Amino acid sequence: MKVSILVPVYGVEKYIEKCAVSLFEQSYEDIEYIFVNDCTPDRSIEVLRGTIARYPQRQKQVVIIDHDVNRGLGAARHTATEAATGELVMHVDSDDYLMPHAVEHLCAKMEETGADMVDGGYVTVTADRESALIPPFHGTKEKYLKLMLCQNIVFNRIWGRIYRHALFTEGGINSVEGINYGEDYVVVPRLILGAKRACLDEAVYAYRDDNATSYTHSINEKHNRSLYKAHAIVNEYFTQHDTHGTYRTAMQMAMLAMVRHARRYEGHFRNLDAICPIEVKGCAPKLCNAILRSSRIPFSLANFLYLTLRRLYSSTL
């Protein structure tokens, strides 16, 4: 099976060589590499081209797509996914890297299980030191997705997994231009809803958590608006496709998570209410929503109530 590895490139001159080397030295042969240059202002593409030249056997497998203007991470992922021609796809961030047998072992697990997506384990990297293995979640898909929708309980990472390309094309699911913060969340829950999932208990991916320029290291109004848009899209998708209401309560918790985020990082709800109006049902969620929004109640107390409610819900799964 042909695998398309999709890599957005912006401001990663320091990391792109190690990333590209890990991709070109994969033990699996049938790989298409799609790099999207989102108008990076540094030497990232120059370093990338120099690295490609060291792997002549891979050169014909590499595609570099240049955006005319900087459009953001969501758009770069979207461009790469649209251009992919492989039966399977993997997203790799250009400051991260893959383990040597990652693609081979993920593909083998997919063939063995007939899954639509396979989650691998990963390590985090700080100052070039790798952590111990962080294994994938092994519960049922339903439990995993409920915890993911609640947010901040399990990692909604788009990377470290391999997917059947058809999950994106047949489901009309892709990254969204303009959603750069929360860009994993807008894609992964929607993919999982209709997918058969399997796990691989080995590290396939190295996630760098010390890149101070990455989206995860800054929160501002623009990023908040992006997160609210992501939530609105996921909420609409589950409203349409969760016909049995299996994930209705989890989406209620997701709504409360957005209220908490707005209170914590903005101190107001104007952006949230304009982009993703919150509707909660039931006594406890309504009370939690009211307390989170009340300026008279300290955030520490409101947050305690929210976390208690979330803990009670997750303990029933």
Side-chain angles (χ1 to χ4, degrees), residues 163-185:
Y163 310 85
R164 293 195 190 277
H165 196 187
L167 281 179
F168 294 83
T169 56
E170 294 176 5
I173 299 167
N174 205 335
S175 299
V176 179
E177 184 162 359
I179 296 182
N180 305 313
Y181 189 84
E183 50 86 27
D184 297 85
Y185 181 70

Side-chain angles (χ1 to χ4, degrees), residues 25-145:
E25 293 188 355
Q26 285 297 301
S27 57
Y28 196 82
E29 290 298 323
D30 195 5
I31 300 177
E32 168 186 64
Y33 303 95
I34 300 178
F35 297 90
V36 178
N37 172 22
D38 194 32
C39 293
T40 185
D42 61 3
R43 296 178 58 255
S44 294
I45 297 301
E46 181 181 339
V47 174
L48 173 60
R49 291 189 185 280
T51 308
I52 294 169
R54 289 157 43 195
Y55 294 87
Q57 76 279 15
R58 292 292 198 185
Q59 288 183 16
K60 291 184 179 180
Q61 298 170 268
V62 179
V63 177
I64 299 177
I65 301 173
D66 296 310
H67 279 173
D68 294 331
V69 296
N70 175 251
R71 294 165 53 190
L73 180 57
R77 288 210 199 280
H78 189 282
T79 295
T81 306
E82 289 286 293
T85 62
E87 297 170 71
L88 310 178
V89 297
M90 288 185 69
H91 287 275
V92 176
D93 287 346
S94 47
D95 53 351
D96 299 336
Y97 55 93
L98 293 183
M99 302 311 181
H101 299 283
V103 178
E104 179 186 355
H105 291 181
L106 286 167
C107 286
K109 178 61 72 170
M110 181 169 277
E111 288 196 37
E112 173 193 331
T113 61
D116 301 308
M117 61 186 293
V118 178
D119 293 1
Y122 66 96
V123 297
T124 60
V125 181
T126 306
D128 290 327
R129 296 187 64 177
E130 294 179 358
S131 72
L133 168 69
I134 301 171
F137 182 86
H138 271 277
T140 65
K141 184 184 84 169
E142 181 178 316
K143 180 176 181 179
Y144 182 46
L145 188 47

